[in-house]
Amino acid sequence: LKRVANLLGLELFGEQPFESLVGRLVCADTLLHTWDLANATGQDERLDPDAVSATVMVYGFGFDKLETSRLERLKSPVLVVSGAEDSGAVQAATGFLANMKTANRQCEMFIYPGVDHGYAQPLFNGGKNFSPEAVRATWVVIDDFLDSHLKR
């Protein structure tokens, strides 16, 4: 991972104990792919709200359509991240933020200026949208958010 980060010119995670890094990566990866697999196979994809300490959503769509009653069940804060040129994701993030406010739930938004959809993915769209600077800034914001909200 460090070799890939160096290749891309990114210092993604900074200095931290190995257990901390693995815990963050495995937790996020397991949660995401468990939900994906359950969703794709028609199984129960609901998460126990008490088991989730924080949520980060990066340039997504459709979550602004969630009903307020569903958002009211959330017990943890949410960070929504998007590139400013990704109009659909910015619109979804803005709508979601308003819905979270209506549901009286904690939500933060980080919009990076001048970047479009897929800015953190060097292979997406032939690399045209990739921005190492935006990736660095996004990881700092995500790391700070998770650090302040994860249960220890």
Side-chain angles (χ1 to χ4, degrees):
L1 184 62
K2 190 166 189 140
R3 198 170 126 220
V4 172
N6 288 340
L7 235 160
L8 297 175
L10 305 174
E11 181 58 40
L12 295 179
F13 300 101
E15 290 293 321
Q16 63 180 290
F18 178 74
E19 296 82 9
S20 172
L21 175 63
V22 170
R24 284 177 185 234
L25 293 177
V26 170
C27 177
D29 197 49
T30 301
L31 176 64
L32 175 67
H33 293 295
T34 301
W35 183 87
D36 267 349
L37 185 58
N39 184 283
T41 58
Q43 298 178 48
D44 186 0
E45 62 203 31
R46 292 174 294 176
L47 300 171
D48 177 358
D50 292 323
V52 179
S53 300
T55 302
V56 177
M57 299 187 304
V58 181
Y59 43 74
F61 296 92
F63 55 92
D64 55 324
K65 307 291 186 238
L66 292 170
E67 296 173 12
T68 303
S69 61
R70 291 184 69 191
L71 298 177
E72 289 170 343
R73 290 186 247 160
L74 293 174
K75 295 183 178 182
S76 60
V78 177
L79 171 65
V80 182
V81 178
S82 179
E85 304 304 313
D86 188 353
S87 60
V90 170
Q91 183 179 354
T94 305
F96 182 75
L97 186 67
N99 294 344
M100 287 289 280
K101 185 175 181 177
T102 300
N104 198 28
R105 294 296 178 256
Q106 187 178 354
C107 184
E108 299 175 29
M109 184 168 58
F110 175 69
I111 306 295
Y112 196 86
V115 296
D116 206 337
H117 189 78
Y119 70 83
Q121 301 171 3
L123 301 179
F124 176 78
N125 197 22
K128 293 176 187 164
N129 297 4
F130 181 62
S131 170
E133 297 81 21
V135 173
R136 275 190 218 97
T138 298
W139 273 112
V140 168
V141 169
I142 290 172
D143 191 54
D144 287 348
F145 177 81
L146 293 176
D147 192 48
S148 66
H149 294 294
L150 290 181
K151 296 176 182 170
R152 307 258 183 244

